[in-house]
Amino acid sequence: MTTPAFTLQRNTFGRLVFTGADGEPHTGVVPVRAFPIAAPDEGVSIVSTDGHELAWIDRLSALPTALRTLLEEELASRDFAPAIQAIKAVSTFSTPSTWTVDTDRGPTEFVLKSEDDIRRLGEGKLMITAGHGVSFVVTDRLALDKHSRKLLERFLF
């Protein structure tokens, strides 16, 4: 466990307050993951309201529990990427196409504008960006059911 050279707490307005080794408080800081999908535990930057990096955290898991919990709560409110659990149907095998999927947040439909909107992240992970800008994640495409894998393979070359 690593003890950081800063403190982080929420003020009465719910905003994060960072206090560095110099003792100067910075209110309204934002944690930002460097690799939110590929390595969510690694590389978190704490950024001030004017966009300057105040601290770098190599691994969230190395932080004390209270600080890690605070950062994970804040990051969860910023990271919105529903995980696709099943692909029920696609309207056509050319693009644009409408996908009907089940996610960890419930069933939904989205439009895939281009095959280029499906990005491979390694180790079977995919990120699919819908036409309206929401990114969906497939954590392990080989773990999907047979029907879902068959539909997905038509779009992966």
Side-chain angles (χ1 to χ4, degrees), residues 8 21 26 35 45 57-58 60-61 66 79 81 113-114 131 145 157:
L8 191 66
H26 298 269
F35 309 104
S45 177
I57 300 164
D58 289 330
L60 282 176
S61 59
D79 298 341
K113 287 185 177 179
S114 165
D145 62 271
F157 300 116

Side-chain angles (χ1 to χ4, degrees), residues 54-105:
L54 300 171
W56 177 260
I57 300 164
D58 289 330
R59 290 192 164 274
L60 282 176
S61 59
L63 295 174
T65 303
L67 179 58
R68 184 179 66 241
T69 302
L70 181 62
L71 284 169
E72 287 175 343
E73 287 172 2
E74 190 70 17
L75 288 164
S77 68
R78 295 176 43 88
D79 298 341
F80 178 76
I84 293 176
Q85 297 173 328
I87 302 169
K88 297 297 184 185
V90 293
S91 62
T92 177
F93 291 116
S94 62
T95 54
S97 60
T98 302
W99 291 42
T100 304
V101 298
D102 286 340
T103 72
D104 61 342
R105 313 268 173 127

Side-chain angles (χ1 to χ4, degrees), residues 79-140:
D79 298 341
F80 178 76
I84 293 176
Q85 297 173 328
I87 302 169
K88 297 297 184 185
V90 293
S91 62
T92 177
F93 291 116
S94 62
T95 54
S97 60
T98 302
W99 291 42
T100 304
V101 298
D102 286 340
T103 72
D104 61 342
R105 313 268 173 127
T108 190
E109 285 188 358
F110 64 86
V111 174
L112 181 71
K113 287 185 177 179
S114 165
E115 288 90 357
D116 294 337
D117 292 332
I118 301 175
R119 294 188 324 176
R120 296 173 193 256
L121 301 175
E123 300 176 13
K125 291 182 182 177
L126 300 172
M127 177 177 281
I128 301 172
T129 304
H132 54 286
V134 173
S135 295
F136 294 86
V137 176
V138 176
T139 54
D140 183 0

